[in-house]
Amino acid sequence: MSAEKVAFFILSGLTLGGGLAILFSVRLMRAVVYLLVSLFGVAGLYILLNAEFLAALQVLIYIGGITILMVFGLMLTGPGQFVNPAESRLKAVAAGVSSLTTAIVLLLIVKKTKWPAGTQALAGDTTAEIGRLLLTDHVFAFEIASVLLLVVLVGVALFVRLARDGGKP
Amino acid sequence: MITLQEYLSVGALLFTVGLLIVLFRQNAISILMGIELMLNAANINFVAFSNALGGLTGQVLAIFVVVAAAAEAAVAIAIIVLLYQNLGTVDVEKARNLNG
Amino acid sequence: MSELAAVLPGVLEKAGWSVPGGLVPVLAMFICASIVAAAMGLSAAVLVWAERKLAGHFQCRLGPVYVGGKFGWLQSIADGIKLLLKEDIIPADADRPLFRLAPYLVVLGVFLAFIAFPVSEKLMVADLNIGIFFILAVLTLEVFGVILAGWASNNKWALLGAMRAAAQMVSYEIPMGLAILPVVVEAQSLSLKSIVAAQSGGMLRWYVFQPPFFMGVSFLIFFLAGLASLKRAPFDLPEAESELTAGFHTEYSGMRFSFFFMAEYAGMILVSGLAAALYLGGWHGILPGQSGAMWFLLKTAFLVFVMIWLRWTLPRLRIDQVVYVGWKVLTPFVLACVLGQALMAYK
Amino acid sequence: MVAVEKDVRTDELVINMGPQHPSTHGVLRVVLKTDGEMCLDAQPDIGYLHRCAEKIAENLPYGQFVPYTDRMDYVSGMGCNMGYCMAVEQVAGIQVPERGEWLRVIVTELNRIASHLLAFGTYGLDTGAITPFLYGFRERELVLDLLEMLCGARLTYSYIRIGGVDGDVPPEFMDKLKEFLDIFPKKIREYNKLLTYNHIFMKRTVGVGVLPADVAIAYGVTGPCLRGSGVRQDVRRDEPYSVYPKLEFDVPVGTDEHGPIGDAWNRYYIRIRELEESAKILRQCVKMISPGPVLAEKVGRVKPPAGAEAYTRSENARGELGFYIVSDGTMTPARVKVRAPSFSNISVLPAIVRGQMLADVVAIIGSLDIVLGEIDR
């Protein structure tokens, strides 16, 4: 087994293990840490896939932004929310069955489809190329994304205002 | 050499885990975590395809997904905090009055 | 690291050890990691001593004088030994695993950032082509560690410190990241090696001194934001001693406490070194043709001195003022700089 | 539709600031009610340093209580000595010789300087600047050396005795004092440069914890805190005692030059200005003092007539220090009541911290400059 393969298994293990740990953890704060582990695993997978820029972006946005936001959310929603309430049995069974079905279907699709074999080497500096693509081929999506961010900024600011005024607009 | 299929399997499994979290958990923040995992699963697929096909479009798409995920998380957390302030809970089962 | 991996087999052969070929990169990685870790620990120790000594002189006193004979140069070693031997206390109601994990995360963030730290052309663990972006990314790990520490301590002061840390970092990561952009625009690269290489040819080629000084302004902003992200005075609110006792590390003692300390001092070197590499020409000397690790270290040391100087002179800001400065002063200015530099590059 | 609870949850966090906290200036406990960084309420909880000083006074001969007064306002013990001795002298009808009065004024003003320097330094610490503390201590050291020359003690002096002072000054004392007075104005300018007009410091203190004059008077606030609110009140000037009538000095009051009158910065700055005034008083004392006895003769055991009572006011570093003594004709007083300035000053805290940030609470407590030994007694 090559070093790459070992790294792949470790990283996918981290990713999936972290995800499962979120599922089974009772304390939400620990769940956030497991999320961190899982996201780190994904970042590692990106590096294996020769997407260093995306890996760094993943760490920056997810770990520096989203997990911290979640911690903020946890702190602001009171100490009573750290333990999840017990689930109803029926719901658990339904959720399990439907998820299992999804997993099986997805894996079957992955297995049955004829995928192109091997990889095609990417030429040169991928970071610069991504930048070029963003501002040429995908400039429309880029603009949409920036508008989306602006809307989010304004919307969240409004929410915060609502929260401060006790829910009254 | 890791094949595309292996990456896609990881993506599929991660998606399932995310789905399980969303379905199992009642806490809004947990659900948000599940959604983030599902988005990441999609991203793994994008990047894997990008690697297999030798184009960067997959990576660019993944970047947009990350942007959307960040925006979504910000709004979601704001909503959850507001929900907590108004209803005193972040349990999605108890916050039912949007059901009508 | 790749160079080390290239010479390693020969060295090993001379020493008479046989190592399977596949393990050589792993071995090189371990060697590099231990060198970085040792350098980090050592520089933190030196800096602690330097800070105490300088603080002494800023305050009309002597600072450490006894330990190690002259100048108290062994003081921080003595402190380190004391911290090592101290009892490691974990509060009864703390979240134990997270409480233990937090200091490691904080150190890990800074440690990883040192991988792309450009001491000189040769002296660099790895020249990543996303170098500066990588450093910014892994530094966020430190923020998470700090928040985790504050939360896991189950102490209200620590929690407040963590909240402050989060608010502060969120407001300063943005100007810090944006301040790098003018340099990146000019150098056309994220790799620290090529950024420094683009500044060769004497002092006037350094990016700070490039008219019309968009990069000079962003240097100041980068330095200030770096100071804030390191939680150094006057931005030391997360650990504000007079308000929050010690903020997020109130409950930490012994070795775990010293981890936070080490991360802070290593972070000082990191931010100063980055500023030196991005704006002050890195390993290039004042005159054209001069270069070497010495220059880089000198510039870094000067910036570290400025940090210490500021800390022992200025009072502390208030959290609303810190956030105000971050969002309403630094961010607009840095945006203007980015825009200006981009327009310059466009023509 | 399910009825929704309409009561809005506010996430108040109740924090105990103290009794072990670096900026409560002793064993003060403040129960803070905060919403995030915003302070909604603060209740000072005192009594951690209560040593029954007033009760002890009822069981000791008059002269033996002097050392206990040192331990009330331990930062300016001379002032407490003086207040108590004045009350005893009034109740027992003892006359203090002229030189004794001069020396009393010299040592209390020196002690005021030491106390205000400590206030200056710790206020720097409260706002996060560490260096002013050591700058303040540099000069405080000189003052303490001077006081040590007189009585051998640097904190608990008991130099002022009933009927005068413990002994005359050593011959080199006056020269040393002059030397100190010569360098001191330069040092005050240095403090101003380092801290008073520092931009960040002013951002932290100007407009913070504004104490309006009427509120200050209603709570019985005295001393620099009251003067910071713009009220020109000073016992040394309003109801002069000892040799103060012969001395010329200003009573600085708060101004609206940099921000509202009565804010933390004004309270702080009054102390800096008082350093100058104290130095001015000391310069006059050095000139005007004349030789003579320092302790009243035949004081012996004080035994005031039964039913005699006296209340004396004096201006200590923190405000008006009052001693009320009732005699029952025995060797020990029937009752001693102390009006401690810090006690009234801290009581105003809840009134001025509401709606301020957490960091401001520290800045406000620091600007009130309390001493717990005096509050709890």
Side-chain angles (χ1 to χ4, degrees):
Chain A
M1 209 158 42
S2 69
E4 204 189 356
K5 202 98 184 170
V6 174
F8 172 75
F9 279 118
I10 291 174
L11 290 169
S12 351
L14 280 181
T15 309
L16 296 175
L20 284 173
I22 299 173
L23 186 60
F24 293 115
S25 75
V26 182
R27 301 185 200 200
L28 272 178
M29 194 67 185
R30 292 199 186 162
V32 176
V33 177
Y34 297 138
L35 181 68
L36 191 84
V37 172
S38 185
L39 295 174
F40 244 110
V42 175
L45 287 177
Y46 289 165
I47 290 179
L48 280 187
L49 287 164
N50 302 317
E52 294 93 357
F53 180 76
L54 209 57
L57 192 76
Q58 169 95 359
V59 174
L60 188 70
I61 304 281
Y62 272 103
I63 292 157
I66 292 175
T67 48
I68 288 178
L69 256 178
M70 283 178 177
V71 174
F72 252 121
L74 280 183
M75 286 173 176
L76 290 173
T77 50
Q81 305 299 328
F82 288 124
V83 179
N84 278 345
E87 322 294 328
S88 73
R89 187 162 292 235
L90 181 69
K91 202 186 154 203
V93 171
V97 169
S98 53
S99 304
L100 210 64
T101 323
T102 319
I104 291 167
V105 170
L106 283 175
L107 286 176
L108 274 179
I109 293 171
V110 169
K111 190 124 184 98
K112 294 284 175 194
T113 318
K114 268 199 96 61
W115 302 105
T119 57
Q120 317 235 313
L122 294 164
D125 188 355
T126 53
T127 312
E129 189 56 34
I130 287 175
R132 214 161 288 131
L133 277 177
L134 273 178
L135 288 179
T136 52
D137 290 5
H138 304 281
V139 69
F140 187 65
F142 186 75
E143 289 303 320
I144 297 277
S146 53
V147 170
L148 173 76
L149 285 178
L150 183 68
V151 169
V152 166
L153 204 67
V154 174
V156 171
L158 184 72
F159 275 146
V160 172
R161 183 142 233 136
L162 285 178
R164 195 171 50 196
D165 301 345
K168 283 177 279 297
Chain B
M1 186 58 225
I2 310 149
T3 59
L4 180 59
Q5 258 168 2
E6 285 166 311
Y7 282 115
L8 295 184
S9 312
V10 172
L13 286 173
L14 189 61
F15 184 85
T16 317
V17 170
L19 189 66
L20 264 173
I21 294 170
V22 172
L23 292 178
F24 258 120
R25 290 295 184 199
Q26 295 179 357
N27 186 303
I29 294 176
S30 279
I31 291 175
L32 190 61
M33 288 183 204
I35 294 170
E36 297 297 343
L37 284 187
M38 286 152 81
L39 287 170
N40 266 285
N43 264 0
I44 291 177
N45 284 14
F46 279 136
V47 180
F49 282 129
S50 156
N51 192 50
L53 302 174
L56 280 170
T57 312
Q59 289 195 27
V60 171
L61 212 52
I63 289 174
F64 287 128
V65 172
V66 170
V67 170
E72 173 240 328
V75 175
I77 291 290
I79 292 175
I80 290 168
V81 170
L82 211 59
L83 194 72
Y84 177 75
Q85 293 203 332
N86 280 324
L87 304 181
T89 178
V90 291
D91 189 334
V92 288
E93 292 289 312
K94 290 201 184 116
R96 276 185 181 281
N97 76 323
L98 278 182
N99 283 355
Chain C
M1 194 172 83
S2 51
E3 280 140 27
L4 184 67
V7 295
L8 207 55
V11 176
L12 289 173
E13 212 164 307
K14 252 186 206 151
W17 295 330
S18 63
V19 173
L23 276 182
V24 169
V26 181
L27 198 61
M29 220 187 308
F30 269 110
I31 292 174
C32 283
S34 10
I35 290 173
V36 169
M40 227 174 95
L42 200 68
S43 56
V46 171
L47 263 192
V48 170
W49 172 80
E51 169 138 43
R52 294 185 59 172
K53 200 76 192 164
L54 281 172
H57 287 286
F58 284 132
Q59 298 177 339
C60 318
R61 51 190 182 87
L62 291 172
V65 281
Y66 293 112
V67 190
K70 257 184 149 65
F71 310 123
W73 64 280
L74 275 177
Q75 183 70 47
S76 36
I77 307 290
D79 287 351
I81 291 169
K82 183 202 80 177
L83 284 171
L84 262 174
L85 297 177
K86 254 179 129 168
E87 187 187 352
D88 177 32
I89 299 165
I90 300 181
D93 288 337
D95 194 332
R96 280 171 163 266
L98 299 190
F99 187 84
R100 291 212 174 107
L101 176 71
Y104 299 117
L105 272 184
V106 171
V107 170
L108 184 70
V110 182
F111 175 74
L112 283 178
F114 269 102
I115 287 176
F117 195 63
V119 179
S120 84
E121 229 163 328
K122 293 268 160 56
L123 219 58
M124 189 169 182
V125 177
D127 175 39
L128 306 173
N129 61 0
I130 49 160
I132 183 69
F133 193 54
F134 168 81
I135 289 180
L136 281 187
V138 290
L139 269 181
T140 57
L141 210 56
E142 195 199 342
V143 187
F144 194 81
V146 165
I147 295 173
L148 209 57
W151 190 86
S153 303
N154 196 16
N155 174 318
K156 287 170 182 170
W157 298 113
L159 187 68
L160 275 172
M163 293 279 261
R164 279 182 175 189
Q168 187 171 321
M169 313 270 181
V170 168
S171 356
Y172 279 85
E173 249 165 39
I174 287 159
M176 194 172 165
L178 286 175
I180 291 166
L181 282 186
V183 170
V184 174
V185 166
E186 188 66 25
Q188 302 275 313
S189 173
L190 286 171
S191 145
L192 281 163
K193 200 171 187 172
S194 23
I195 288 175
V196 176
Q199 302 178 57
S200 69
M203 195 167 158
L204 291 174
R205 296 273 299 154
W206 296 356
Y207 280 152
V208 223
F209 301 119
Q210 295 288 307
F213 300 107
F214 288 126
M215 284 183 282
V217 175
S218 37
F219 164 67
L220 289 178
I221 291 171
F222 178 83
F223 192 69
L224 272 182
L227 215 56
S229 70
L230 288 175
K231 307 176 285 297
R232 292 278 302 180
F235 303 103
D236 57 346
L237 299 111
E239 45 190 287
E241 188 189 319
S242 56
E243 294 147 29
L244 308 180
T245 57
F248 62 89
H249 57 59
T250 302
E251 297 288 359
Y252 281 87
S253 61
M255 212 49 213
R256 284 176 216 287
F257 168 76
S258 72
F259 271 20
F260 287 111
F261 235 70
M262 202 158 89
E264 183 184 327
Y265 284 97
M268 273 166 79
I269 296 178
L270 189 79
V271 169
S272 305
L274 275 187
L278 289 172
Y279 306 94
L280 301 178
W283 54 76
H284 296 302
I286 290 176
L287 297 172
Q290 288 175 327
S291 82
M294 202 58 225
W295 286 105
F296 177 81
L297 293 178
L298 265 179
K299 289 167 194 168
T300 309
F302 173 73
L303 291 179
V304 168
F305 171 77
V306 172
M307 282 183 176
I308 293 175
W309 185 10
L310 286 177
R311 171 170 179 190
W312 296 102
T313 310
L314 295 177
R316 184 184 306 119
L317 286 162
R318 208 167 55 203
I319 186 71
D320 57 327
Q321 292 162 349
V322 166
V323 175
Y324 179 92
V325 170
W327 285 109
K328 293 196 179 166
V329 181
L330 296 188
T331 309
F333 268 100
V334 78
L335 278 174
C337 288
V338 172
L339 205 65
Q341 194 65 41
L343 286 177
M344 293 265 301
Y346 182 69
K347 68 153 199 293
Chain D
M1 195 185 131
V2 184
V4 178
E5 290 173 72
K6 277 293 172 210
D7 59 322
V8 176
R9 282 196 186 205
T10 48
D11 292 75
E12 282 176 12
L13 189 64
V14 177
I15 311 180
N16 276 319
M17 187 165 156
Q20 308 294 333
H21 188 279
S23 39
T24 51
H25 295 218
V27 277
L28 170 68
R29 170 167 162 248
V30 184
V31 184
L32 292 173
K33 211 179 271 174
T34 63
D35 177 12
E37 285 275 335
M38 201 65 84
C39 181
L40 303 173
D41 196 14
Q43 285 300 332
D45 182 10
I46 59 172
Y48 289 92
L49 203 59
H50 189 66
R51 292 153 302 176
C52 313
E54 289 175 9
K55 198 70 195 167
I56 291 170
E58 291 169 21
N59 295 293
L60 285 177
Y62 286 91
Q64 288 185 20
F65 186 62
V66 174
Y68 285 89
T69 60
D70 278 325
R71 287 149 180 88
M72 286 181 185
D73 185 350
Y74 44 76
V75 183
S76 78
M78 288 288 190
C80 297
N81 291 168
M82 178 142 173
Y84 176 71
C85 290
M86 273 163 56
V88 176
E89 282 150 15
Q90 199 175 333
V91 82
I94 297 167
Q95 197 63 40
V96 180
E98 170 100 13
R99 189 175 169 85
E101 292 282 19
W102 280 112
L103 285 178
R104 277 183 175 191
V105 170
I106 289 178
V107 293
T108 45
E109 291 303 326
L110 271 177
N111 209 187
R112 191 188 311 278
I113 289 178
S115 165
H116 282 354
L117 283 177
L118 183 78
F120 159 78
T122 48
Y123 200 45
L125 279 184
D126 288 341
T127 51
I130 302 155
T131 306
F133 182 73
L134 284 129
Y135 274 55
F137 262 55
R138 191 182 54 189
E139 272 71 62
R140 188 171 182 265
E141 193 66 22
L142 300 175
V143 176
L144 292 189
D145 283 347
L146 282 170
L147 295 177
E148 193 183 359
M149 281 167 77
L150 297 176
C151 53
R154 293 162 63 84
L155 191 70
T156 50
Y157 313 100
S158 300
Y159 176 64
I160 295 174
R161 298 290 166 87
I162 297 166
V165 295
D166 183 32
D168 209 337
V169 294
E172 68 273 21
F173 177 83
M174 286 298 169
D175 296 331
K176 289 256 181 198
L177 180 56
K178 276 179 208 154
E179 233 170 76
F180 169 73
L181 291 174
D182 286 340
I183 61 158
F184 196 49
K186 211 178 92 204
K187 303 293 181 187
I188 294 175
R189 282 199 292 279
E190 201 175 280
Y191 304 152
N192 284 340
K193 264 190 231 159
L194 183 65
L195 190 66
T196 311
Y197 296 113
N198 181 299
H199 192 72
I200 297 177
F201 179 73
M202 291 188 76
K203 280 262 175 217
R204 281 292 309 278
T205 53
V206 170
V208 167
V210 177
L211 174 61
D214 53 333
V215 176
I217 292 168
Y219 275 90
V221 173
T222 50
C225 300
L226 180 62
R227 294 195 279 275
S229 298
V231 182
R232 204 176 288 274
Q233 188 266 5
D234 189 326
V235 182
R236 290 177 293 175
R237 195 193 59 134
D238 300 341
E239 216 175 275
Y241 51 94
S242 194
V243 290
Y244 282 112
K246 296 176 190 165
L247 296 165
E248 265 179 45
F249 59 96
D250 290 337
V251 178
V253 291
T255 59
D256 52 1
E257 200 181 331
H258 297 283
I261 293 180
D263 60 1
W265 188 83
N266 265 316
R267 283 195 287 276
Y268 156 85
Y269 191 51
I270 292 297
R271 295 198 180 89
I272 298 287
R273 302 253 314 268
E274 284 191 12
L275 287 176
E276 290 164 12
E277 295 306 321
S278 288
K280 205 200 268 177
I281 292 174
L282 282 169
R283 260 180 232 114
Q284 294 172 47
C285 288
V286 171
K287 272 203 204 99
M288 290 160 83
I289 192 167
S290 53
V294 294
L295 193 61
E297 275 171 40
K298 290 182 191 146
V299 173
R301 290 181 174 165
V302 181
K303 203 171 177 184
E309 56 176 56
Y311 178 75
T312 55
R313 305 163 71 190
S314 60
E315 185 74 19
N316 203 3
R318 270 155 203 84
E320 182 184 326
L321 177 67
F323 273 94
Y324 178 57
I325 297 180
V326 182
S327 160
D328 54 1
T330 59
M331 303 274 287
T332 58
R335 175 81 171 96
V336 171
K337 160 84 183 110
V338 185
R339 187 241 180 250
S342 293
F343 181 77
S344 308
N345 291 356
I346 190 69
S347 68
V348 83
L349 183 70
I352 55 177
V353 296
R354 278 189 200 116
Q356 304 270 2
M357 311 275 293
L358 190 61
D360 293 338
V361 176
V362 172
I364 291 169
I365 293 177
S367 74
L368 293 173
D369 186 27
I370 46 167
V371 166
L372 269 298
E374 185 179 59
I375 293 175
D376 294 341
R377 298 190 288 283

